[in-house]
Amino acid sequence: MIHTTRLGLAAAAISLGLVAGSAPAATALPDWRTTASSHTGHLVTVTDLRYATHPRFDRVVIDLRGRRPGYTIGYTRRLHREGSGDVVRLRGKRKMVLSLHPARAHDRAGDSVYTGPRKQAVHLPTLRGVAFLGDFEGYVTFGFGLDRRAPYRVFTLRSPRRLVIDFKH
């Protein structure tokens, strides 16, 4: 069974990548961004997530081992647990989902190596909640609860490798 979040992500990626300038697919909300990994077939390992506030933005940092993953990020109406499809409730008026691919949060034996929060209320100006939504079939997915539909930026850093998301206040 195809998970509805994955279907929404696929629809957003297709609408952004193939139909430039047209309206996004009905299952996606505006502002979806997709970036492909330049290293296909190499899984990045997701090990941690942390967050903090700064004078003009709240920052989420995801620690990675390996090469830079691709990702899909965007606003969504509901957050779903990967694999089961269960709805995940988080504080905040708006929800955002981030899916890293190809990625994993487990070792070769199948044991989790992710040490960050699983689901946590956050009390920052913009960021209100974070959730680890799953490690499923080459995708590692996170959800964020925000106080409003905030402008954001995503970028990667090296030494050590990290994916960073800044949510403007």
Side-chain angles (χ1 to χ4, degrees):
M1 181 172 130
I2 295 177
H3 185 271
T4 56
T5 299
R6 180 95 61 234
L7 182 59
L9 292 174
I14 289 169
S15 69
L16 287 174
L18 299 179
V19 191
S22 68
T27 57
L29 297 176
D31 295 329
W32 281 93
R33 298 180 193 171
T34 301
T35 301
S37 170
S38 58
H39 306 286
T40 349
H42 296 279
L43 291 176
V44 67
T45 303
V46 178
T47 60
D48 199 4
L49 178 145
R50 60 191 182 282
Y51 50 86
T53 193
H54 296 273
R56 291 189 279 277
F57 58 89
D58 293 341
R59 175 168 283 178
V60 172
V61 178
I62 299 171
D63 292 329
L64 309 169
R65 278 191 312 221
R67 301 176 183 209
R68 183 183 62 84
Y71 63 86
T72 301
I73 187 168
Y75 286 96
T76 186
R77 288 185 175 83
R78 288 185 195 89
L79 299 171
H80 296 273
R81 181 104 26 230
E82 289 291 347
S84 71
D86 294 340
V87 173
V88 175
R89 294 188 183 354
L90 275 183
R91 289 186 67 218
K93 295 176 186 174
R94 299 290 182 249
K95 306 301 184 260
M96 179 174 275
V97 65
L98 166 72
S99 187
L100 303 170
H101 52 86
R104 66 178 174 201
H106 60 275
D107 60 20
R108 293 178 191 255
D111 299 320
S112 178
V113 297
Y114 175 73
T115 59
R118 296 293 172 162
K119 181 180 173 190
Q120 187 168 4
V122 177
H123 304 282
L124 300 180
T126 302
L127 185 65
R128 299 306 171 102
V130 297
F132 177 78
L133 299 178
D135 173 12
F136 189 69
E137 295 183 348
Y139 287 79
V140 174
T141 308
F142 293 95
F144 306 104
L146 306 171
D147 75 330
R148 62 186 165 66
R149 189 180 181 92
Y152 64 94
R153 67 179 180 160
V154 182
F155 57 97
T156 56
L157 297 172
R158 294 190 213 196
S159 298
R161 174 94 50 203
R162 299 152 340 264
L163 184 104
V164 178
I165 309 161
D166 289 339
F167 299 104
K168 187 176 179 181
H169 290 170

